[in-house]
Amino acid sequence: MPADQQLETVVDAFSLSPADRELLPTAEDVDFYQEHGWFLTRKLLTDAEVDELVEASERFYAGHRDRTLPTRPPRLAYWTPEKGDVHRHNDYIFYEDATIRRILSKPVIAATAALIARTDQIRLWNSTLIYKPSGTADERNIVPWHFDRHYWQTCTSDNMLTAFIPFHDCDEEMGTISMVDGSHTWKETGAKDSTTRHFADRDRLELEDMLQENAAFNGTEVRKVPVVIPKGHISFHHCRTYHGSGLNTSGRPRRAISLHLQDRDNAWRPFPLADGSNVVYNNDVLVRTDADGHPDYTDPQFCPVLWEGRL
């Protein structure tokens, strides 16, 4: 394809309609995100698009795949039917399901991320399909307090963020996501190897203690804010914002996707552990390598550009 046609394709892919531009965060919204570490959007997805996400997720749970991962990463979260009616997590849903990929590539979503993160490029980092069953007191259905940056230690950026996208109205009864307001600005008491382990592999009370210790270290209190999310709206949070969710007592399953995003400046870095080994994130075994043989976090297969340009 000639260069001028390639440029035209890129411009078309990252263009917004006048209606979409009305949905973008205002300057006050950007300031809110920067101060609080989270932000609730306007209605970015139509009811029809959200209903498509539900249908696509049901086909996925029944076995449909448009493509599958070429290899299984070391810490892959991947529910399969034999595991039963439990809290389900399926990583790389953006890669494996074409319908979900099409809807979540809607430019207004990544453009919103670019504005609040104050960057001119947003790339995919990872994506997880989530299903939280209702009517059970199983503590595995509780997401303990954590922040995502702990698991992304191979990244150079502290400006990454996550879009939490429920497939319905999502309130406290459904176990909606809750934020620890302003916690993205805290300094940590000290990094440990254990913080690189996923919350599912750690004790919930230990993580609660870590949250309280970090608040005390910063001379502040923990202020937890449940985010009530209407259908079609999206909750964004900073990669250093503590967040979690409680049990779903609504009588209906809570369905959602966590869409993890990286800014232009993010790249791979080595992160050594006490035993001399390096942290390996799941993307590291999937993406292409750069000229130095290191994981390339701009790989278009797994980390495609979702937004480019200033707004």
Side-chain angles (χ1 to χ4, degrees), residues 86-87 89 137-143:
V86 297
H87 199 181
H89 291 81
D138 189 338
E139 288 195 355
R140 290 175 297 178
N141 295 333
I142 297 173
V143 175

Side-chain angles (χ1 to χ4, degrees), residues 24-98:
L24 292 174
T26 64
E28 292 76 17
D29 294 333
V30 174
D31 289 343
F32 181 93
Y33 172 82
Q34 292 288 327
E35 178 182 354
H36 295 269
W38 60 276
F39 169 68
L40 179 63
T41 72
R42 294 162 180 79
K43 186 166 183 168
L44 303 188
L45 295 173
T46 67
D47 286 351
E49 288 170 330
V50 177
D51 292 344
E52 267 197 277
L53 290 173
V54 174
E55 293 166 4
S57 69
E58 283 300 291
R59 289 195 300 271
F60 180 87
Y61 289 138
H64 173 80
R65 303 290 186 274
D66 291 299
R67 58 182 178 179
T68 57
L69 295 175
T71 189
R72 187 179 181 88
R75 296 182 177 182
L76 184 69
Y78 209 88
W79 177 87
T80 48
E82 66 270 14
K83 295 178 181 177
D85 191 25
V86 297
H87 199 181
R88 308 177 193 175
H89 291 81
N90 287 90
D91 292 341
Y92 295 98
I93 187 65
F94 189 100
Y95 181 89
E96 293 200 330
D97 191 275

